Amino acid sequence: MQHVTVKVFRFDPEKDEAPYYKTYTVPVEGPTSVLALLKYIYEELDPTLAFMGEHLCYKGVCACCVAKVNGVVEKTCMKIVNPGEEVIVEPIDGQPIIRDLMTDPGKQVTTKDGVFIIMKGALVRIKSRKL
Amino acid sequence: MTEILETDVLVIGGGLAGCRAAIEAAENGAETIIADRGIIGRFGATNCALWSIQAPFGPRGMDSRDSPEQMFKDIVVYGRWIGNQNVIEVIAYTACDRILDLERYGVKFRKTEDGRFYQTPFPGQTYPRSVFVEENGHAVATIIAAEVARHENVTMLNNFFTFELLKSDGAVAGAIGLDLSSGEIVAIKAKSTILACGGYTGIWDLTDNPPTLTGAHIAMSYRAGAELVNLEFNDFYGTDLVWPPSVRGTVVLYELLAPQFTDGNLYDKDWKPILPKPLPVRDEAMRIIYQVIREGRGTPHGGVWYDVTRSPKGKDEVRKIYETMTPKHYEFIKKAAGIDLVEEPIEVAPAVHYSSGGVYINEKCEASIPGLYAAGESAGGYQGANRLAGMGLAAAHTLGAQAGKYAALRAKQITSVSISQEQIRRAERRIAKYLRRKEDGITPATLKKQIRQVVGKALAPIRNAQVLEKGLSEILMLRKKMLPRVYVPDAKRFNLALMEAIEAELMLDTAELAIRCAIFRKESRGHHYREDYPQMDDKNWRVQTIVKMEAGKPHIFTRKPIYTKLLPPEVS
């Protein structure tokens, strides 16, 4: 059986003082999407992982599954990792982090004075460092 | 301590039906909350939909002979006479107006040079009737969600999983949900509550809908005492990918195996071709494919081979066909799994595509208990035994608007609703029990997988009493033995496993009800095929299957469909 090494950004604002990265080894039979790797980690290895879950639009259009993969923002359903490779998965920048890979898109509020997005969250990353 | 929000109208589900309902409710003066378990406009089935929505534009479209009367008739006849005509009237007679609404919101439709709606013909449409949405369902979903956001009196809740309807004096008074972002339980007190959360295709192990559509609304409505209708009717599509996991569920059109396209075929494990030419229609094709798999002649991952590599047309021409007919899916399979289906055979099997069953509604989209409404795929009893192409989205926005209007009207007539603190406490305790550590704990993902395997085998393209009874006893066993073992790690924010634990509990109810209804209907009609009763039996079964809770147990009975304009042929 071949494997992929997945390094995942973890942070629970209720428990952790700072974010950290956790490494998982996922068995694969061939090229596998990052979303399928995350699903495997959640279902078989670590149910504490917060990610978007099993939603899939099958066309790569809904963008519910975006995350940073090796530093680049990707739709994780369409980003392939080959057996033997290592991959780093992190939440997207610019939105408050709810937990792990989940960020808060905010709540859109329309009033007489305009359209606003209200965000409540725990951590906003300002600068990322190369791992 | 549960937070309590208050509103006139609560809409559950943020796809086309839910967004259209929220707009209509808001424009009729109702304070509205719309809640989705994911992100409104991005998470549901609308986003997955292709470009086809039925609307009988007649002279303003491709064929001046088409009319709402004709659309009405097509739905009634191809639904095999078990659809409620009072609801079908609403769909057929408002379909064009709703398309014009979508156009006003900014959705682009393909037009002819002289400005008429471009429409394509599909089987079951007497005249070409499917208008063509540029950029598919994705455009519809995102544009209508943006339109919702323009309304001052609508609050949009994302990542909000609703799991129980609030009851007060026999009426529905809102719902309780889990706000995933904060981890808090929230009760929403509402004068009217609209279910617009898609179908229950996610209880099967193979579906081309987002697997998140697990039919919580069926279990919630049942527990609240509402009637459900025709739960044994779900549409299948014959050829969806089963492997690899990255692309499981993706549709690959079997129609493209026809001689005028790729002239490919499906093959069993010994590479014997499966489909006759000319190609059989959808329901026949899926039964042929399922029979091969059931006999153990399938591929390693439980499908059959879909192979166009030996097409006489040559690779370049075959590739061009997929690039023009289904470009997004072809690209997705390449990018998500590294597979070019023009170069290698792929494994496909019949998958669940649509739920024709759902919450019983009347022409105002009112369910059988006051205060509750349903729209789109969550509602049932109008598509009948067979849904025509382009009718999913057509039902979503017509019934969405209808539900929004009447929900707002009810809200105006009621001064206030009260909710029971006891019910909220019970819901809190229900959540807490999943967080209690257990010696022999299993994850909710494990239980969901087991439920889906049972449902996939029982509610298969070919059914019989024996497999259905076996499926039912397995579901009851899972509820008794496995559900109490479900254990969720403690995390407050975005506890996906906690949501899935509640989801699995509701899936068990939905699965039980759907299997019981399939056992109950002793005939074959549309996509419900019983090999032990292979004939359509109009004398005894041209009726709807209704299920509701009575004394804590499912009570199943038949009801005559409502015929307003067309009477079925006499049974000899």
Side-chain angles (χ1 to χ4, degrees), chain A residues 15 55 59 63 80 99 110, chain B residues 42-43 48 149 335 490 493:
Chain A
K15 290 177 185 160
H55 174 84
K59 291 200 286 285
I80 289 182
R99 191 163 69 83
T110 310
Chain B
R42 280 164 60 182
F43 219 66
C48 290
K335 284 192 178 150
D490 191 17
R493 292 162 171 259

Side-chain angles (χ1 to χ4, degrees), chain B residues 143-199:
Chain B
I143 289 169
I144 200 162
E147 182 64 26
V148 174
R150 272 184 216 115
H151 290 75
E152 283 183 30
N153 49 351
V154 181
T155 304
M156 298 166 84
L157 300 180
N158 290 318
N159 296 329
F160 189 95
F161 179 65
T162 312
F163 60 86
E164 185 171 327
L165 293 171
L166 284 161
K167 283 289 290 282
S168 163
D169 300 328
V172 169
I176 311 177
L178 174 66
D179 181 347
L180 279 159
S181 302
S182 66
E184 301 290 345
I185 297 172
V186 179
I188 303 175
K189 226 167 117 173
K191 294 170 185 167
S192 305
T193 302
I194 302 173
L195 300 169
C197 26

Side-chain angles (χ1 to χ4, degrees), chain A residues 13-15 33 42-44 51 54-55 57-59 61-64 77-78 80 98-99 102 108 110, chain B residues 42-43 48 138 149 181 207-209 211 246 248 250 332 335-336 338 448-449 452 490 493-494 497 500:
Chain A
E14 309 274 334
K15 290 177 185 160
S33 71
Y42 166 76
E43 288 182 354
E44 307 293 335
F51 77 119
E54 58 178 359
H55 174 84
C57 73
Y58 306 102
K59 291 200 286 285
V61 292
C62 78
C64 288
C77 73
M78 290 214 290
I80 289 182
I98 297 170
R99 191 163 69 83
M102 291 308 297
Q108 189 165 328
T110 310
Chain B
R42 280 164 60 182
F43 219 66
C48 290
H138 173 61
S181 302
T207 169
D208 52 25
N209 287 201
S246 308
R248 187 177 165 83
T250 308
F332 177 70
K335 284 192 178 150
K448 278 174 70 178
K449 211 172 276 180
R452 283 169 170 165
D490 191 17
R493 292 162 171 259
F494 215 89
E500 288 202 327

Side-chain angles (χ1 to χ4, degrees), chain B residues 203 215-216 218-220 222-223 228 231 451 475 479 483 503-515 549:
Chain B
I203 64 170
I218 299 290
M220 282 159 57
Y222 171 71
R223 290 177 179 194
L228 300 153
L231 295 184
I451 296 169
I475 289 292
R479 182 187 287 132
L483 184 64
E503 184 183 30
E505 181 193 320
L506 297 172
M507 280 168 79
L508 285 166
D509 275 24
T510 305
E512 180 194 337
L513 296 174
I515 295 174
M549 189 192 275

Side-chain angles (χ1 to χ4, degrees), chain B residues 38-110:
Chain B
I39 297 169
I40 293 165
R42 280 164 60 182
F43 219 66
T46 307
N47 233 303
C48 290
L50 287 168
W51 41 262
S52 143
I53 313 180
Q54 280 207 31
F57 275 108
R60 296 151 74 196
M62 299 305 282
D63 196 316
S64 58
R65 291 169 297 176
D66 200 18
S67 63
E69 287 78 8
Q70 189 62 53
M71 175 168 169
F72 173 86
K73 197 175 168 195
D74 288 347
I75 302 169
V76 168
V77 171
Y78 289 100
R80 309 281 189 261
W81 296 95
I82 57 164
N84 281 332
Q85 296 183 3
N86 54 339
V87 179
I88 300 173
E89 271 186 47
V90 175
I91 300 169
Y93 286 85
T94 62
C96 294
D97 289 344
R98 297 294 81 82
I99 292 288
L100 298 178
D101 290 345
L102 285 181
E103 202 169 37
R104 188 157 49 84
Y105 304 149
V107 177
K108 297 265 185 302
F109 293 93
R110 191 166 291 180

Side-chain angles (χ1 to χ4, degrees), chain B residues 17-18 33 90 163 173 185 192 214 255 258 316 327-328 366 438 453 462 464-465 516 538 546 549 558 569-570:
Chain B
I33 292 178
V90 175
F163 60 86
I185 297 172
S192 305
T214 50
E255 284 89 347
D316 290 344
K328 288 252 159 66
E366 292 167 335
K438 299 172 182 80
Q453 272 160 6
I462 301 173
N464 64 51
R516 281 190 190 279
D538 279 341
I546 311 284
M549 189 192 275
T558 62
E570 294 278 339

Side-chain angles (χ1 to χ4, degrees), chain B residues 495-543:
Chain B
N495 193 338
L496 187 61
L498 178 58
M499 185 205 69
E500 288 202 327
I502 312 165
E503 184 183 30
E505 181 193 320
L506 297 172
M507 280 168 79
L508 285 166
D509 275 24
T510 305
E512 180 194 337
L513 296 174
I515 295 174
R516 281 190 190 279
C517 290
I519 292 171
F520 182 77
R521 182 177 288 274
K522 291 175 180 58
E523 66 148 358
S524 292
R525 186 177 294 266
H527 284 248
H528 172 72
Y529 182 79
R530 289 275 304 253
E531 58 187 341
D532 43 355
Y533 300 97
Q535 303 301 323
M536 188 154 87
D537 177 1
D538 279 341
K539 192 158 169 275
N540 298 301
W541 287 102
R542 199 160 60 195
V543 287

Side-chain angles (χ1 to χ4, degrees), chain B residues 307-319:
Chain B
D307 185 18
V308 291
T309 60
R310 52 189 97 184
S311 161
K313 305 276 170 103
K315 293 210 166 125
D316 290 344
E317 198 182 325
V318 169
R319 182 168 288 113

